[in-house]
């Protein structure tokens, strides 16, 4: 009668998330993510390359599965909770080491399969597609429940692992959005139900738990975007929007406002096409009626040349929001295409700068360059997809866990959620556990 | 044929705004504000006291009118542009030095008169109430035009001074809000018309010109507020909202959501009553049907004692958003009333911390105290009332001024607007002028 | 055969340090400090007042000894490690609850006795004065060893608790200064010797462990001070230096440079006199030959009036380095004395701003006021007394502890020392323990 | 009878300094610097490349001399004030456009000639070498005076341009160091003498004028360095120091301490050899007796392989203090040499991070990598070479200029020196002039 959790990855850093949960002799793996930061030193591209699993491990780009070597044969399921690369991106490289089905929602499955196609990797294990509120029996002892959650990419789920001894709830990457632009609200009723059973341990997203607020709804980002796109005069000017490629709800808003502007909407860049297609395949939204997708360098070059003739007819949506030098916006600004910005063209960053020094340097360079052309820059039209302090309090109140483990953070950031838990009466070290990659915690002995 | 501008106050600091514009032998005074910061050292109250004009001048709390002593007899009008204390607050203390009517919108007039009542001061000069889009002839040479503007208090105006030689446009404290909760949008059509005439000089609000964005609409603050108030469970808990007393649109939203919560709405604090009454008198909104106003200490004490019996029936709206120790919220937290916060009561700060070290210290103290009671704090549910960089660009493009003077900022902050102007092709020192309090600039010689 | 540590105070905040160490049936209390921050809300003075122990506990100003109520009768010694108020300041209020001698170095003893005189408190327990490298047998099982350490006040010690089962080393508030201005270097040889025995647990000062450096020597502060005092022309000007009253080495340097300037040196303020007298009584330094001490308000007033006649003859050393409004410098600046600063008078802050919002606000106010008088301000002539990351690594390497507990920090700051320990191969939760006030850790069971 | 100043470069940014001073029909050019920031985007190397002058101009890497096209034939002298690249680095590319001697001190001349050798450029104009306190007659109307100044590279001078109408004093890049490690103190007596004549205009280094202090002496950096190098145990470990290659005084200290450690001292990297040789040629210091210089990649590779066998015998001094990926330290860390760091090897950064986002990103990457190897990092062992607020006040008091122009800063940073000047009684716009690149100011008409 044992439940043991090994925090494999994403506990020393934001990235390469992976958590293993052992229930007696069976193990469930949740998330298998890439850590893009160290990876980026070895490649100029934002696309995943053909490095081997062991090479990726050695540079710290994927979770180190040697940490659970003794559990390897016990693994019964691999569950990427959503389509972000820091949760699903390492699956193609690591799943071969295990004999277990991959369980995920349709959108996540589509993105996974697109990555595999891109990287020319064939998965060894079967993908089992489940809906956002599914229940799936893994074995006599383990039943998996998906709980629908709002986040910055569609069909994100929280995962409840039901066992005879109680429940472990994995709740990384979610928000309580009451006005989601796509999909339903986070299923609070179901969380409350779980809370009435026996939640032994909650792994909770600590990314923003230091912020004394409720994370604003996607509606707020949409309002700001609408205001800038529809109410700022852009007659005769180029308008470029850049955002996270996987943020389908945001793209939906952008496309709607683009149509109101009577501009032809073009998505430029490989990852935009990839996620848009995944959303279409998963039946979430059909972009192709309204949007022209341009995926590869050569076609992008040709399209930009054409747009240059009359930029005011187009709405360009492109990759490169973090200032990545090899993404479409970075290349435009570096003069790699026959497209030049003119005075008072508009660049809309529907994102925040993910606060790493490298992103800051890239964005600084990009923006300085844009300002030299007199371009109008609109920044930070964004709402986060992660729970703030008051959202974390909400989920803790709903599910009433015995133990709490902050996830999706390194040590320094984990103190935010810890402070909240202590404020709520939990005890440091006994009920709130600050874990490092590779550590194990016996929930039940 | 001379136009000369003397930047009397608000050019070395954010506060005590005052600008004098001389057209040959006639002078117009725009704004006459208090600087609360130095003032606050001398009093524990946030209310204006009975210091004399010269005492207030000596501590730097009001504009130094000795700087325009030679123009004193030439003054033909005093024009507070809106009801904020840093624009209208010094009128009761300084207007006596001049022989000129006070021109302002109804709400500003009501607030001015309420201050006078409170301070037991009688104005020497007549107040001439004008609507937000009025034109008023001062003399043969000078005609004043009010241009309606959105801001964080109602009936704010930009002021165009029409002269035979051209126009001077004073545009401090405004935003381009396309979805104002109260009043109409800033009159861009009229600004464009002015731009087709001859705008010699634009005095432009530089407060946020360093921010590469468009200031979000009040609608955004309203959405965030709605989300927190209506979608966070507050059953059985006290709910307290605090915001700027003069922000009538915000108060309107708060009252609407309070009604949806089926809670009895109470405004606690002198300045809330004052501004609410002014808004009612000016015909803007009628709070008294929905709200109980409690103004003075003794009544506040009694009311809080009553609320304590069942806080979940009430929505408390009170003063003290910056953590001021003598405002209602500060006093509650310091235990000066028979009212105690309980675990998971909610405090909503619908404001930002105005970034002075004193405010930061006060808020820090307040919030630490609240956290010790396990109170839920929701911060920063706010949208600024000042133009960001892209709004400043908009107004410059609309009115095409020959000269630009950043106002509502000290020197360091003025570089934001200066950078924008230089980016737009203006020349430093020749067309963009960084002015200090007491300096004069001859627009036309 | 048990060693258990209760982290009573100073683990949720920087302040009110207290740690209890139980060895079977005997308990040693190390440090008993005041937390000045919450205290300051209740009094305008920087002096300790006549509140009762329970009142001080209820506002969080002293460690909560109820947390070790079950150990109360087992206490065998109370050991304040040095003379700072956050280590010794609560002794007068709390020692009565225990029956145990107070062990400390001569300077600490002198300061403790001065506080008692000031507060009119008589200690119940005996004070046993030990030298900085003493060994003292408490009982059959416990021997206390003082290890001399450099810090920002004289005669600071690290405390080794020798037991039959191994050693617990308490190392809060120290630095490895190779060029101390007063006293000897931290006794690294002795630490190394301890490391060869069996150090079970190190409680280590984590204040600056996030800084990747070695804390600079006091020599560095002295050089900067010398440069400003002796090489900046101050002819005909007032020169004021303010620093920590307990920083005897710094005061020594100031006095030396003051003598070189041929100025009459005056110490203004109660706490300066108090610490100077303590240093003199402890035989550390004799200030009275070179310095005139002026302690009380009335005399300060008279002395300042006299100095005003020819400020250039004096070097004023006074309290108020953090901008405290009731300290001497604050009162001068607020005009409470007949002393005015003139243009280009010099104010030297031989300290950093202790980074709380309140200090920042106070200093901001003070400095703005000084700038208005055209005073020359020299800031940050200081070197910290706490170990930086590389000093912490040094002590860990020297004593090779089995367990590490970061002390002198709240949770968020504790992650710096934790990161270092993890980098050095320690394991989170098993060997490195993040403790909160009131928690207990069994070193040995 | 005209004196006109054109601020050609270094007034919109920190970098590519150049100022032209016209006295009637003759023009003096002071400084001709590279701006490394934009340049670095176009090359991976920190060495100057073979781009043409016009290409360098178009990317903003050198001052835009078209701004003074009308003055081109009037130029009588080109005066790089010291050996930093942002002052002398553009000389090889731009001097050909003028017919005028290049006047500079011996060290600057040596560095200039080394750059030319490296870049295979031959200067068209003669270099006239002058000592640090020289006077040189240019024409009947213009006499140039060098005033010795302390800075972070040897033989830096302030330049006084004596004319029949008064003096213009160019004072960029200096500090008042009373304990310089190399060379003499800044010649304050001479500055005072100038002040008694007629200083019409002071161009003053504004880099640190916002800091309320006196810049600490190089002695302070030396003390910190000594403490880390000599008093931290490094037995058996590699010790690496990295600093500015042009900082000869710092290198002198490093070499002295290296000798005390009985380690063989190796300088690795091209620019270290270059500046060391220049210092030797200029007769300032002889490194070659004590230091082995290794300049090129192949030799560096071989040497590091040799050092790896027993790192504890060597002191490595290398390039790469800002984390530049192509400098020696960056390459070591990226594994490009057969040299690996071991646990507790020491890396000493005797510098600050020059605060650009790119440097921050590079250093962050470098340090994270080093931490993963358990290397001990010692940061910020540095003292600035630029005047702080109180040093700026000193020079203004000494030379009593009629006009002040902040230099070596962009607009935002220039407000620090402006604030000081206003505090001292100067008038904005009339006596203090915030200039942009390409603007002209008539000192005398």
């Amino acid at each position: 009668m044992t439940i043991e959790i090994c925090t494999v990855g994403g506990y020393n850093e934001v990235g390469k998330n992976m958590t293993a949960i052992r229930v007696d002799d069976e193990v469930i793996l949740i998330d298998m993510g890439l850590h893009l930061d160290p990876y980026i030193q070895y490649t100029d591209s934002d696309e995943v390359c053909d490095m081997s699993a062991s090479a990726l491990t050695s540079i710290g780009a994927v979770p180190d599965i040697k940490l659970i070597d003794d559990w390897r044969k016990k693994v019964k399921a691999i569950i990427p909770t959503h389509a972000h690369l820091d949760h699903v991106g390492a699956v193609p490289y690591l799943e071969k080491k295990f004999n277990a089905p991959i369980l995920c929602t349709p959108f996540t499955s589509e993105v996974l399969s697109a990555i595999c196609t891109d990287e020319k990797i064939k998965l060894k294990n079967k993908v089992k597609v489940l809906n956002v509120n599914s229940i799936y029996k893994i074995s006599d002892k383990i039943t998996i429940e998906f709980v629908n959650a709002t986040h910055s990419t569609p069909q994100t789920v929280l995962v409840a692992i039901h066992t005879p001894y109680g429940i472990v709830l994995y709740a990384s990457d979610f928000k309580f959005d009451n006005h989601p632009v796509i999909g339903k609200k986070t299923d609070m009723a179901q969380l409350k139900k779980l809370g009435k059973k026996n939640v032994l341990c909650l792994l909770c997203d600590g990314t923003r738990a230091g912020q004394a607020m409720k994370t604003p709804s996607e509606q707020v980002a949409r309002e700001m975007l609408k205001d800038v796109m529809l109410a700022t005069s852009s007659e005769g000017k180029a308008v470029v929007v850049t955002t996270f490629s996987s943020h389908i709800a945001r793209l939906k808003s952008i496309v709607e406002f683009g149509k109101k502007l009577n501009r032809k909407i073009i998505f430029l860049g490989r990852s935009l096409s990839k996620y848009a297609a995944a959303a279409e395949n998963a039946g979430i939204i059909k972009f192709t009626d309204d949007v022209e997708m341009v995926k590869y360098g050569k076609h992008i070059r040709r399209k930009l040349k054409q747009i240059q003739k009359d930029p005011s007819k187009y709405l360009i949506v492109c990759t490169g929001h973090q200032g990545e030098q090899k993404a479409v916006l970075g290349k435009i600004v570096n003069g790699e295409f026959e497209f030049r910005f003119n005075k008072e063209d508009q660049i809309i960053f529907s994102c925040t700068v993910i606060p790493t020094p490298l992103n800051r340097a890239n964005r600084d360079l990009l923006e300085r360059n844009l300002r030299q052309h007199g371009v109008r820059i609109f920044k930070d039209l964004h709402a986060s997809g992660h729970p703030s302090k008051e959202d974390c309090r909400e989920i803790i109140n709903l599910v009433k866990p015995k133990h709490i483990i902050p996830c999706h953070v390194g040590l320094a950031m984990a103190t935010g959620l810890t402070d909240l838990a202590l404020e709520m009466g939990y005890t440091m070290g006994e009920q709130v556990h600050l874990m490092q990659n590779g550590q194990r915690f016996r929930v039940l002995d």
Side-chain angles (χ1 to χ4, degrees), chain A:
Chain A
M1 190 173 137
T2 305
I3 297 183
E4 191 174 19
I5 295 175
C6 181
T7 51
V8 185
Y11 295 82
N12 292 9
E13 65 280 298
V14 179
K16 62 167 169 172
N17 295 288
M18 180 165 168
T19 302
I21 295 152
R22 178 168 73 82
V23 182
D24 294 334
D25 278 336
E26 298 169 320
V27 171
I28 304 299
L29 302 182
I30 308 192
D31 283 336
M32 217 174 245
L34 270 182
H35 187 25
L36 301 175
D37 239 40
Y39 180 76
I40 235 152
Q41 309 171 32
Y42 294 85
T43 165
D44 275 339
S45 154
D46 63 339
E47 301 291 335
V48 182
C49 71
D50 51 5
M51 290 174 90
S52 70
S54 78
L56 287 166
T57 304
S58 81
I59 61 164
V62 299
D64 184 358
I65 57 172
K66 281 192 300 289
L67 296 167
I68 48 161
D69 218 31
D70 52 326
W71 291 3
R72 204 156 61 76
K73 301 209 166 142
K74 301 183 169 71
V75 172
K76 300 299 169 203
I78 298 167
I79 310 178
T81 57
H82 62 283
H84 282 150
L85 287 184
D86 57 336
H87 294 258
V88 72
V91 170
Y93 304 100
L94 301 182
E95 56 91 36
K96 278 168 194 60
K97 313 284 177 176
F98 307 97
N99 269 313
I102 298 161
L103 314 182
C104 59
T105 57
F107 182 67
T108 308
S109 164
E110 290 295 336
V111 169
L112 177 58
S113 126
I115 297 172
C116 289
T117 306
D118 275 0
E119 305 298 322
K120 301 191 183 66
I121 294 176
K122 213 173 136 28
L123 296 179
K124 171 185 137 190
N125 292 295
K126 287 249 169 73
V127 176
K128 171 81 193 162
V129 176
L130 300 173
N131 286 321
V132 289
N133 276 315
S134 307
I135 288 180
Y136 187 83
K137 186 166 177 169
I138 298 274
S139 70
D140 281 355
K141 282 193 187 149
I142 304 180
T143 297
I144 294 298
E145 179 183 2
F146 280 5
V147 180
N148 178 54
T150 50
H151 184 46
S152 43
T153 200
Q155 299 184 347
T156 294
V157 292
L158 313 184
V159 181
I161 294 135
H162 295 268
T163 79
Y165 324 125
I167 298 166
V168 172
L169 180 63
Y170 180 88
S172 188
D173 291 40
F174 72 98
K175 68 194 280 192
F176 289 118
D177 192 331
N178 294 295
H179 313 279
V181 169
I182 278 182
K184 291 194 179 157
K185 297 194 221 180
T186 299
D187 191 344
M188 296 178 82
Q190 189 55 24
L191 290 172
K192 201 167 182 180
K193 269 188 213 164
L194 293 176
K196 287 182 177 153
K197 296 176 190 174
N198 179 16
V199 176
L200 297 169
C201 186
L202 170 69
L203 296 118
C204 184
D205 183 339
T207 325
R208 285 174 55 91
Q211 313 283 90
M213 63 190 306
K214 175 180 182 5
T215 299
S217 167
E218 177 63 17
Q219 201 61 36
V220 166
R222 184 180 161 91
E223 281 294 326
M224 292 193 291
L225 198 53
K226 187 173 76 177
D227 208 25
V228 167
M229 288 182 70
L230 301 187
T232 307
S233 98
S234 59
E235 235 187 274
K237 305 297 178 190
V239 178
V240 176
V241 189
T242 180
T243 190
F244 302 95
S245 297
S246 58
H247 203 320
I248 303 303
R250 191 68 51 79
L251 291 169
K252 178 174 182 283
S253 297
I254 293 166
V255 168
E256 283 176 31
F257 303 141
K259 286 164 75 176
K260 289 217 171 131
L261 284 171
N262 277 318
R263 287 175 178 246
K264 186 159 173 39
I265 304 161
I266 319 279
F267 280 16
L268 296 181
R270 201 164 152 189
S271 66
L272 273 167
S273 296
K274 184 158 66 185
Y275 285 98
E280 206 146 328
N281 294 341
I284 295 168
I285 184 171
K286 199 158 175 354
F287 282 121
T288 40
D289 293 347
D290 301 314
V291 178
E292 183 182 348
M293 305 278 169
V294 188
K295 199 167 175 178
Y296 296 107
K298 210 172 63 178
H299 302 129
I300 292 172
R301 175 175 307 280
R302 199 181 308 144
K303 179 56 67 181
L304 279 168
K305 198 170 167 184
Q306 179 192 331
I307 294 172
Q308 181 79 88
K309 289 177 195 157
D310 187 358
S312 71
K313 285 190 179 153
Y314 299 88
L315 175 69
I316 299 174
V317 182
C318 68
T319 57
H321 50 91
Q322 298 298 310
E324 307 91 329
Q325 302 199 18
K326 297 296 173 184
V328 172
L329 183 57
K331 284 179 166 176
I332 293 178
V333 166
N334 284 333
E336 298 182 30
F337 296 117
E338 290 167 66
F339 183 88
R340 294 294 168 272
F341 284 117
N342 291 311
K343 235 182 143 169
E344 311 221 330
D345 283 346
Q346 300 186 1
I347 310 264
I348 297 165
F349 290 94
S350 190
C351 63
T352 46
V353 180
I354 300 168
T356 70
L358 183 62
N359 289 337
R360 287 197 177 112
N362 281 333
R363 272 289 294 270
D364 169 71
L365 200 62
L366 189 80
E367 291 178 28
R368 271 197 288 158
N369 198 317
L370 288 169
R371 278 198 300 275
Q372 276 167 15
H373 290 85
V375 167
R376 303 181 72 167
I377 297 173
F378 297 87
K379 293 205 278 199
D380 296 328
L381 303 176
H382 187 59
S384 170
H386 295 278
S388 301
K389 181 177 181 185
E390 291 308 322
D391 305 295
C392 291
R393 191 194 302 264
E394 203 81 37
I395 198 170
I396 293 170
N397 274 336
L398 287 169
V399 307
K400 302 183 203 319
K402 285 212 170 49
H403 297 275
I404 298 175
I405 296 175
C407 64
H408 211 262
V409 283
L411 180 59
M413 275 169 74
T415 57
L417 186 61
T418 306
D419 277 335
L420 169 64
L422 299 181
E423 201 179 306
M424 294 177 78
Y426 284 81
T427 310
M428 181 76 194
E430 287 167 42
Q431 298 172 293
V432 192
H433 309 271
L434 292 175
M435 306 286 285
Q436 292 285 290
N437 290 349
Q439 287 198 297
R440 296 181 183 193
F441 167 61
R442 290 216 165 201
V443 183
L444 214 78
D445 221 0

